[in-house]
Every structure is written in C-alpha cells, then in structure tokens.
Amino acid sequence: MLTLPPNTAQLHTLPNGLEVILLEDHAHPLASVQLWVRAGSLHEEKWTGAGLAHLVEHMFFKGTERRGCAQIAQEIQSLGGYVNAYTTFNRTVYWIDGVAENVDGYLDIISDMARSSNFHADELVKEQEVIRREFAMGNDDPQNVLQHLMQRTAFREHPLQHPIIGHLDIFNQVGREDVVGFVRRHYVPNNCFLVIVGAVDSTNVMASVEKHFGSWERRPYEPVVMPEEPAQMAPRHVEKEFATDIVRLSISWPIQGETHPDKAALDVLGFILGSGRSSRLGLELRDKQGIAHYVGAGAWSALDRGLFSVEAECDTDDLAKVEEAIAEVLSTIIQDGCKQDELDKAVRATLGGLLRQRSSTRGMASSLAHSWLVQGSLNQDNRYLERISALTIADITNAARKYIVDERRNRVSVHPTGTLKTTTRNGSGVKREEAQRFELSNGMTLLVGENPRLPLVSMRMQFLAGVPVESEANAGATQITAQWMLKGTEKRSSEEIAALLEDRGGSLSGNADAHRLFVGADVMKGDEALAMSLLSEVLTQPAFPASHLPKIQKRQQASIREELEDPLTVALRRARKEIFSGLPYARTALGTAKSVEAMNEGACRAMWQQTVQARNGIISIFGDVKADEVRAQVEGLFGGLPTGTKSQAGFTPMSVTAAPSRHELKLDKEQGVLVLGFPTVGLQDPSAPVLSLIDEACSDMGSRLFNRIREDLGLAYYIGAQAFHAMGAGAFYFYVGTDPKKLDLVEEELRKEIADLAANGLREDEIQRAKTTWKSSWLRGQQGNGAMADSLAWDELNGLGFDHHRKLPEIVEAITQAQVKEVAARFFGAASAFTVTVRP
C-alpha cells in the first residue's frame, strides 16, 4: 500500500464565502497562486455551445478599472511571475507562478482581474477575432475534429456534447452584455476558491488575501443543474471525411464521473490496454501486426460522467484489420482479465506520473484544488492514489466487463477526403502543393508552399546564429536579440507591434535556439501583406528600446534558474558542457546568468547586424497563397536586406577533444539521476538519421532499456535516450531517474545495455518498431502551415536542402540492421562515456 506524507494544507473561509487553501512548502523560494472558478463550458446555460466561459477567460487579460491590458502582463513580469489561464468543462483557472516574496502582488493582480475587469467593447471585438482564429486552427486539426465528433456522438442531452471553445455560429452571436452577465452570474466569491502553495507564511498570506478579496461582494448563487443523459441502449457509428492522409478512429463507452470508485480501475485498465508499445494494443497492432501508426486507450471524466476510449491511427487499407484487432484484444481482457505483472507495471507508472506532477508548486496547487473541486476534500487525490495502489486483478476485470459492452459502444472515424464510398462529392478537393524555391535579387532564399485548403498563412524568417557565433561574454545574445527586436521599431512601439496582428486574429513570435534566430507570423488570408510588412520592419528597423532590456534579461535569468531546479536537466546540461568543452555547444541558447546580466544594446545590435543578412537567412511562407504573388511581395519588402554572407564561424564540423570524465553533482532533491553522454556527429552527417532511429528505439515504454531496467529490475522512475544534432557537432545521451540508493546498480545495468547495443546493435523487430514510430511522428509534424514552413526552412538553412524533409522517410526506411550496428559500435564504446550523476 502506498504511504503518502501527511497533508498539511490548511483551509480557510472568508466571511464572503471565498475558500482559501494554503500549503507552506519552503523547499524553494517559489509560489503558485491560483484562482479556481467553478464555471466552465458546462455552465453556460442558455448560451450552451457558445464558448462563453472560454471567451471570458480571454477577456480577463484585456484590462481592469485600474490596469490596462499591457500593464497586467508587465506588472506580473516585473514581479518575476508567469501568468496564464485555462478553461475546461467544469472550471476556469487563473494562475501566477513566481517568487514567494511577491505573492501579495500576485493576489492584488488576480483580485483586480476577477473583480474589476472592464470588458471594453472594442477589446471584446479584438479578442473574438483571436478566438475565431482558434476555431480555424481547431478545424485544421484532425485529432480535434475526431474528439468533437466523439463528443457529439456519445452525448445527446448533456452539454459535454459541445466543444469547450463552442460552435462558431453561436459564438458569433455573443455580445458584451452576455459576457458581463456570465461573469456576474458565476464569478462570485461563494463560487470560487483560492489555492496558494509555496514558501509563504500562512498568517501573512491570509492577511493579504483578506486585504485583496475580503470586500468582494457575496451574492446569491444557484448551482447549474446538469441535464440527465439518457442511457445508451444501442451502438452508434459515425464517419467523416477530412483533408488528412491517414484514418483516425475512436471507440468509446460511457463511464461515471471523476469521483466514482471505478475511475481508478478504468485509468489503470487504459494504461494496460494502450499506454506505450508494451501495452496490449501497442504490442498487437503496432509490433506484431504492424497495422497502426498509433494506438492508445484511457478514461476521461467531467464531474458526473465521461468516456473510456480506445483510439488508433492507420492507413485506410488497414482500418478493418485495426478494428478487428482492437475487438480481439478487448475480448481477451474481458474474458481472461489482466496479468499480475501488467497490473503492477500499470500501477507503478500511474502512481509515478501523478506523484511527479506534485513536484512543482503549481502541480501541488493543482492537485489540492482538484481534490477540493470534485469532492470538497483536500485529500481526494490522495485517496485516489491509495485506490490505485490497492487495485487487484479482479477490479480491472470487473471494470472491463461492466463498461466495455456493445450496446453502449460509440464508434467514430475521420477519413482522407474521397475514401468514404457513401460520400457524395461535388469537387476534387484541395491538394497541398510541393514547396517551390526562389532566390531574391540580394541572394536570400524564399520557400513557398501553396496550401489553399484553409484561409490561413504562416511565414518564418530564419537566420544562422546562436551559440556557434557567441562567446562566454555574450552568451544568450541571439535569444535576447530575437525577443528585443519585437519590442519596438523606428515606427512602432512594443504595444503597437503586439496589437497589429493580434487584433486581426494573428500572432507574431521571435526567439532563438542552438544555432538560429527566427521570427514568424501566423495570420488569416488577406492579412499576409500586413504580416510581411511588419516582419520586414522588425528585421530591418529594430529600435531596441532600453526600457525592455531589463524585463527580457529577468525572464531569461528565470529560465536559467528553472533549469537548475530539474535534476535531469542539470545532469544533461553538465554532460553537454563536458563533452563540448572548449567548443561552442558547451553553452546553451539561454547563455549564463553572468552573460545575461551583462548584456547591453551594443552586443545585441552587433548580433542583429551580423545575423540579419540575406545570404545568411531563409524566408518560408506556407498557406493559402500564390507563389508568384508572394515572390513579388517578398522581393519588394526584403530585397533591400544587405546581401552579406552565410555565416561560417562555428558552423563547420567540430572535433571533440575533451577526454571522457565523471562528475558527481549534489542537489537539494530527493531523486537520483544518471546520464551517460557520448560525442557523435552533426545533423549533416549520414549517421545522424541512424542515431535518431536508435534514439527512437531506446526512448519509449517498449524499449530494451525500459523493459530491463524499469520493468524487470524495478530500478528506475523513468529511463530513455536523447540524440542531439546541431551544425557541425552532436551528442547522444542515455538517462535514468532512480532512487539515489540504487544509482550504482542502475549505472552497472545501463552500461551493460549500452555495451550490448554497441556490440550487437538493435534487433530487426526493434528497428521496425522504431521506424513505425518515427513515421507516425513525421506525419504528425506535417500538420499545419507553420510546421511545414519551419521544417523546410530549417533543412534549407542547415544545408540539407528544403526537399530533405520529403526524402527523410525513404532515408529512414532504408536504414539497415548492419548500419545500426556499425554506428552503435562507433559511438557507444564504454571508454567514450561522459558520466554525470546527481544525488541529494
């Protein structure tokens, strides 16, 4: 039986009915402040299906009586906080994570948003445009379409039949008075509660809560009563065509709500059936028969009801075989139950995942809040963990027999356009064209992909930069420069830049990684000329306003500190530092606390000038555009960029000269971590795809590492591999998280597995599984104009050619067992390992 530490959270209730959950945790000087509103898409009443709860969440960031829209975000940033929110079926949650000493400031801002948001009509119009773009993106996502199709099929009366975002035709009818009415109805202290977890003093925090929330007016509140969903008496079957390359299938059965005693057994049943390659469905459909690209299973619930689902992705020709195989796997577990080792594995993995969620202040706050929301008890999640640990084979078998019954079966599927024989079609559909490559007059490369299926356009500008052209003194300059460029130009302020596309439902972004600087925009058709013009202005006329540098530095330093809190990240970063000692990739794109603190305008202007040059960059534009028109527009806007040269410094092949070494680190954490790192090759090397395939084979729940070290020996919390390929250099890491007392034994076993890999390579069945998983991931990565614009430009920028993406499946499929063995032997010799351990 699982033994959990005592729950020391405190519950307080203000006179106005606002409940406050406090947990002092002084492990780190951090805190999470969360306001939970018991109102989600299920509580929209006459506006059910409008997405009103989600719209309200967006509007809470658009200004209050005391603060403007930009001021809310800037003030939170100035207090070292990160703010966000989300809406589900049964709640809306606003949260700020940051330093504990500023909790009073966070409470002030959340209180102001909850009590005094002004919902200006003009801001509402702008935000509705933003959400309309979310509708467009959702309509472009086949998995999203599948999920909504299942909801409409499985629920006939209950509001779970509607998407959280709502239906566009109803959403378009919502006005300001409806938003204000929803807030006045649901946003009352007696329908909300606060959760605060972190290094705080309870007495001081309660005084702060009373100061900011105590005068919030309590009002009468009548809970929303959910309609009764009629019992399903016969199976339901729905099919839909969609512009996709593969079939997506979902089969679901109605289940009880989150607090029902059967929920724990259903969650573990889902894990046994469909979590990872070693699951029953994974082994049968992917490994044995090779008929599914993806298969999974699981249970989800709102407060009173939910679904147990099995999902799969496959080629059209394999659908019948997939459904037959799923039926056979389900029949077997219903008749014969599960095995004890399956149950033990599923229980350990489920417990481990849930416990790891609690390792951060936000995760712990969310766990306490969830307990309070669903059961009115701060120990509900603990009791759920105890139920998980006490499950028996009989519990799993009974759950399968009780819920997986034919008459309550809901089956939906999404098919490639033109493949459903019963569908009448009036046209031939839309085809995604191959990308076209052009060269501007100044030597800059332009890639254009015509994809008129939806009225959306994505554009990306990428330039070689990053750690190869930085030094210890200006480390992190590329990332800071990319962010700073968006904070003002010679013509526009930061606020004007942010609003220009956002007000039209678009977005602008800028950042940097190991060896590139990139900016991009995503817009609706019709706004592409405006977006191109803005990107040109940002790239050619950045003002680098001094007031923004301290804020950017503060955020970047916070990211650096965050990395130091995760033992695995600390170990991986140290292994990287040692492998690439004396080489650029010893550093990361974030830089160091010292270099970021010393950053100045001169360093960033220099980085901009040497980076934003025509021959050093790629422009890629994908979406509902015409290549010739785009070419003319881009030539007019970007043809004036200085020609320059393609950066060479630091991008040529690098030779690792550091000798393998061992490093023992100590952190104030409970877990132990082991990383074994090996220098490899850059992304242009022919061995890179082979190493990526080995990574795929060693990184999931069906891998030899997982099965031997975690399952057979029970030595690991998690285990996997990570291939790193950059321009001119690369590394490969094997990692394990474990009980610190077992680190030595784990290292011994991991080295045995790596030695076997180096000596014998992978088995043919391991290679085939890895290829199948890689292909599925590759297919998923093609969804959306932004993904394609980014991926093809990345390949072109790195010298692989924009058509490398199209060739990759053939390259990976052609990898042989002999190649894998040769590459493993070349790189994974015991004498080449850089070893890093992290202990408490």
Side-chain angles (χ1 to χ4, degrees):
M1 178 68 72
L2 178 71
T3 301
L4 294 168
N7 184 353
T8 59
Q10 308 168 30
L11 175 68
H12 304 269
T13 305
L14 300 188
N16 61 6
L18 179 70
E19 297 155 331
V20 184
I21 300 167
L22 290 178
L23 177 63
E24 290 193 29
D25 179 1
H26 295 273
H28 300 284
L30 303 171
S32 183
V33 177
Q34 303 184 4
L35 176 67
W36 284 52
V37 185
R38 295 182 176 93
S41 63
L42 300 183
H43 304 97
E44 295 173 350
E45 298 171 296
K46 73 173 184 177
W47 281 105
T48 293
L52 195 53
H54 176 245
L55 175 57
V56 167
E57 175 216 316
H58 276 241
M59 287 303 299
F60 262 54
F61 292 88
K62 293 303 172 181
T64 71
E65 295 171 7
R66 294 166 48 200
R67 295 175 171 92
C69 175
Q71 189 180 353
I72 291 173
Q74 290 169 358
E75 200 168 320
I76 291 170
Q77 289 172 354
S78 70
L79 293 171
Y82 177 76
V83 64
N84 216 325
Y86 65 89
T87 305
T88 72
F89 295 113
N90 56 28
R91 62 186 179 269
T92 306
V93 180
Y94 305 89
W95 53 268
I96 300 177
D97 286 349
V99 291
E101 64 187 31
N102 289 330
V103 162
D104 179 75
Y106 304 152
L107 289 168
D108 178 26
I109 295 168
I110 287 185
S111 168
D112 191 28
M113 293 165 65
R115 302 176 59 183
S116 304
S117 286
N118 46 33
F119 308 111
H120 282 155
D122 55 347
E123 290 292 344
L124 177 63
V125 171
K126 295 176 186 177
E127 206 57 29
Q128 284 177 304
E129 277 302 308
V130 171
I131 294 176
R132 287 188 184 100
R133 184 174 180 278
E134 289 187 30
F135 274 104
M137 289 190 295
N139 294 338
D140 195 23
D141 181 356
Q143 185 59 40
N144 198 58
V145 171
L146 182 75
Q147 171 64 27
H148 292 168
L149 187 61
M150 176 54 77
Q151 288 175 231
R152 291 199 302 273
T153 303
F155 301 104
R156 296 303 172 93
E157 298 294 333
H158 199 280
L160 278 173
Q161 68 183 283
H162 304 291
I164 293 169
I165 197 174
H167 304 286
L168 184 58
D169 51 352
I170 306 178
F171 175 82
N172 285 336
Q173 301 173 44
V174 171
R176 182 180 184 277
E177 65 277 8
D178 307 307
V179 172
V180 173
F182 184 88
V183 172
R184 179 149 187 90
R185 164 87 166 90
H186 295 286
Y187 281 66
V188 294
N190 37 313
N191 191 47
C192 304
F193 60 92
L194 272 171
V195 189
I196 304 165
V197 172
V200 297
D201 177 83
S202 297
T203 302
N204 292 338
V205 167
M206 278 310 302
S208 183
V209 169
E210 289 170 356
K211 177 176 67 173
H212 297 298
F213 289 90
S215 60
W216 193 5
E217 180 188 11
R218 182 174 190 152
R219 296 195 296 271
Y221 184 76
E222 182 179 352
V224 176
V225 178
M226 293 295 112
E228 188 64 33
E229 177 71 24
Q232 185 175 339
M233 305 302 291
R236 299 168 184 167
H237 182 113
V238 179
E239 296 177 317
K240 179 182 178 69
E241 285 195 349
F242 187 80
T244 181
D245 296 325
I246 56 178
V247 178
R248 288 168 172 82
L249 169 72
S250 180
I251 307 171
S252 298
W253 296 264
I255 62 174
Q256 304 296 331
E258 289 181 287
T259 60
H260 194 275
D262 291 341
K263 182 61 165 52
L266 287 165
D267 283 340
V268 170
L269 173 63
F271 189 98
I272 292 170
L273 285 172
S275 233
R277 286 179 173 167
S278 61
S279 65
R280 290 202 175 190
L281 290 168
L283 288 171
E284 182 64 29
L285 276 74
R286 294 183 64 192
D287 294 355
K288 183 177 178 181
Q289 298 191 40
I291 54 178
H293 302 308
Y294 161 80
V295 64
W300 67 267
S301 300
L303 290 178
D304 60 337
R305 64 190 63 245
L307 295 174
F308 182 87
S309 301
V310 174
E311 293 190 353
E313 297 175 4
C314 64
D315 294 335
T316 301
D317 295 342
D318 290 327
L319 179 59
K321 299 175 188 175
V322 165
E323 294 197 66
E324 182 180 347
I326 289 173
E328 181 62 32
V329 170
L330 294 178
S331 175
T332 300
I333 204 163
I334 289 170
Q335 293 176 16
D336 303 332
C338 67
K339 297 182 176 63
Q340 188 63 49
D341 62 335
E342 287 181 302
L343 175 60
D344 292 343
K345 175 178 70 174
V347 166
R348 285 198 306 270
T350 304
L351 291 175
L354 292 168
L355 290 172
R356 280 193 292 275
Q357 290 175 9
R358 299 183 178 194
S359 62
S360 67
T361 53
R362 187 199 312 171
M364 192 66 218
S366 296
S367 177
L368 291 169
H370 179 262
S371 288
W372 191 247
L373 178 75
V374 302
Q375 192 74 355
S377 164
L378 296 180
N379 287 306
Q380 163 64 20
D381 279 13
N382 281 357
R383 284 197 288 270
Y384 171 78
L385 291 173
E386 291 166 356
R387 282 201 295 272
I388 289 284
S389 64
L391 286 171
T392 65
I393 292 176
D395 294 327
I396 307 303
T397 307
N398 291 339
R401 292 172 179 172
K402 179 178 178 179
Y403 292 99
I404 303 178
V405 292
D406 283 343
E407 61 265 28
R408 294 197 291 274
R409 183 177 186 265
N410 297 278
R411 184 258 185 221
V412 302
S413 53
V414 173
H415 299 250
T417 303
T419 59
L420 289 180
K421 296 178 182 179
T422 57
T423 301
T424 300
R425 295 176 295 279
N426 298 318
S428 59
V430 175
K431 179 179 180 295
R432 183 193 295 269
E433 299 293 339
E434 294 292 334
Q436 301 177 58
R437 184 184 187 279
F438 305 98
E439 187 170 308
L440 304 185
S441 58
N442 58 4
M444 193 167 195
T445 298
L446 167 66
L447 305 177
V448 183
E450 297 181 356
N451 179 22
R453 187 164 61 84
L454 288 170
L456 299 171
V457 181
S458 294
M459 48 197 72
R460 302 289 186 266
M461 282 70 177
Q462 304 186 25
F463 300 86
L464 284 175
V467 295
V469 299
E470 294 173 354
S471 65
E472 285 292 336
N474 73 340
T478 308
Q479 196 162 105
I480 291 177
T481 301
Q483 297 174 57
W484 203 357
M485 288 166 62
L486 304 187
K487 298 304 181 183
T489 69
E490 296 173 6
K491 298 178 181 178
R492 291 182 173 90
S493 68
S494 173
E495 292 75 15
E496 290 171 327
I497 290 173
L500 192 61
L501 298 185
E502 287 181 9
D503 290 353
R504 295 170 176 264
S507 64
L508 178 72
S509 60
N511 214 323
D513 57 20
H515 61 260
R516 64 174 171 168
L517 177 151
F518 51 91
V519 294
D522 297 277
V523 294
M524 303 282 281
K525 180 177 175 59
D527 293 330
E528 60 269 26
L530 176 65
M532 286 185 216
S533 177
L534 180 60
L535 287 171
S536 174
E537 187 178 320
V538 165
L539 285 168
T540 61
Q541 305 171 40
F544 296 107
S547 62
H548 285 276
L549 179 57
K551 303 170 190 174
I552 298 171
Q553 288 171 303
K554 190 170 186 177
R555 288 195 296 272
Q556 193 133 327
Q557 287 169 329
S559 298
I560 293 170
R561 291 196 301 271
E562 263 183 42
E563 288 197 343
L564 297 176
E565 294 179 1
D566 177 45
L568 176 57
T569 303
V570 168
L572 287 168
R573 290 287 182 262
R574 182 57 180 269
R576 174 172 170 169
K577 179 180 179 181
E578 297 301 331
I579 289 172
F580 297 114
S581 178
L583 298 173
Y585 293 120
R587 303 183 302 273
T588 72
L590 286 173
T592 65
K594 181 179 178 181
S595 66
V596 170
E597 182 179 3
M599 201 64 62
N600 55 51
E601 181 180 346
C604 291
R605 278 195 177 274
M607 180 60 69
W608 163 63
Q609 289 170 343
Q610 74 182 50
T611 299
V612 183
Q613 299 183 15
R615 293 192 181 278
N616 192 46
I618 308 289
I619 301 177
S620 54
I621 300 177
F622 278 64
D624 191 2
V625 296
K626 296 294 184 183
D628 290 339
E629 296 174 4
V630 167
R631 181 182 183 181
Q633 289 175 310
V634 171
E635 180 69 55
L637 288 167
F638 295 93
L641 275 179
T643 299
T645 57
K646 187 172 184 178
S647 181
Q648 299 298 321
F651 292 101
T652 54
M654 305 174 192
S655 298
V656 171
T657 57
S661 52
R662 183 180 190 91
H663 305 274
E664 305 273 350
L665 309 179
K666 299 292 181 68
L667 285 182
D668 186 16
K669 302 287 183 180
E670 295 183 8
Q671 64 178 294
V673 171
L674 167 68
V675 169
L676 296 178
F678 299 83
T680 58
V681 291
L683 51 79
Q684 292 178 328
D685 192 282
S687 297
V690 183
L691 287 162
S692 295
L693 194 67
I694 295 173
D695 176 0
E696 197 77 58
C698 293
S699 293
D700 70 12
M701 297 175 65
S703 74
R704 58 169 65 190
L705 302 183
F706 187 93
N707 287 330
R708 174 59 180 165
I709 296 176
R710 191 182 190 281
E711 299 302 293
D712 295 348
L713 300 177
L715 292 176
Y717 306 142
Y718 57 81
I719 185 168
Q722 183 182 109
F724 167 71
H725 299 293
M727 286 282 281
F732 196 101
Y733 308 99
F734 297 91
Y735 60 83
V736 186
T738 185
D739 183 332
K741 298 175 184 176
K742 300 177 180 178
L743 265 173
D744 293 339
L745 181 56
V746 165
E747 181 175 345
E748 179 183 341
E749 294 297 329
L750 181 59
R751 286 185 180 276
K752 287 180 184 177
E753 292 299 318
I754 297 172
D756 179 68
L757 181 63
N760 303 306
L762 295 171
R763 300 187 307 272
E764 190 60 41
D765 63 306
E766 291 179 296
I767 293 173
Q768 289 306 313
R769 284 201 305 269
K771 288 180 178 179
T772 301
T773 305
W774 181 92
K775 181 182 178 182
S776 178
S777 176
W778 181 82
L779 287 170
R780 291 166 186 266
Q782 296 182 69
Q783 298 181 103
N785 296 318
M788 292 299 291
D790 187 74
S791 182
L792 271 66
W794 167 257
D795 287 338
E796 181 74 15
L797 184 72
N798 291 325
L800 296 168
F802 74 98
D803 58 346
H804 178 72
H805 184 79
R806 179 174 50 83
K807 299 174 183 176
L808 260 178
E810 296 177 11
I811 294 171
V812 172
E813 187 59 38
I815 293 172
T816 65
Q817 191 174 17
Q819 283 179 284
V820 171
K821 183 176 180 181
E822 186 275 326
V823 168
R826 179 156 37 113
F827 294 114
F828 300 148
S832 302
F834 288 73
T835 307
V836 179
T837 59
V838 177
R839 303 175 187 269

